[in-house]
Amino acid sequence: MEIQQTNDTKRGSFDAIEDGKEAGKMTYTWAGDSKFIIDHTEVNPDFNGKGVGKKLVLASVEYARANNVKIIPLCPFAKSVFDKVEEIHDVLSS
């Protein structure tokens, strides 16, 4: 599975692609220069149970670490991943 990121000055997304099909998508909106808000995560029903949503959240964490930015997980799914995985709390916006 490949995770592709699209990013501009206001918003962006992480897209999970497998065998040419969109497996899932997570969208975010920039809140200034140093943090972004994860506002929606969606998984194609054909890929349910394969950890696609979690992979998208973890891709956003990698991006945040690499670019020294913080994340505000407003999306209920993304928030649940942050609640369960303590090792990624370093990128949470306080």
Side-chain angles (χ1 to χ4, degrees):
M1 181 172 304
E2 180 185 356
I3 307 289
Q4 300 173 348
Q5 182 184 15
T6 305
N7 188 30
D8 68 30
T9 56
K10 293 190 172 148
R11 60 184 51 91
S13 67
F14 289 89
D15 301 283
I17 310 294
E18 187 169 287
D19 298 329
K21 288 179 73 176
E22 184 176 278
K25 182 181 200 84
M26 185 180 73
T27 59
Y28 61 89
T29 304
W30 283 100
D33 294 333
S34 62
K35 57 187 158 191
F36 61 89
I37 300 164
I38 297 175
D39 46 36
H40 184 70
T41 306
E42 187 173 322
V43 174
N44 179 329
D46 293 344
F47 294 89
N48 281 349
K50 295 187 176 182
V52 175
K54 186 173 182 181
K55 288 176 185 171
L56 291 167
V57 172
L58 295 178
S60 75
V61 169
E62 286 178 29
Y63 173 80
R65 286 177 177 155
N67 293 279
N68 198 30
V69 295
K70 297 292 185 181
I71 297 174
I72 302 168
L74 288 188
C75 161
F77 176 80
K79 183 176 180 339
S80 75
V81 173
F82 274 94
D83 289 346
K84 293 175 191 164
V85 184
E86 196 168 317
E87 301 82 47
I88 63 176
H89 288 185
D90 60 302
V91 298
L92 279 174
S93 179
S94 50

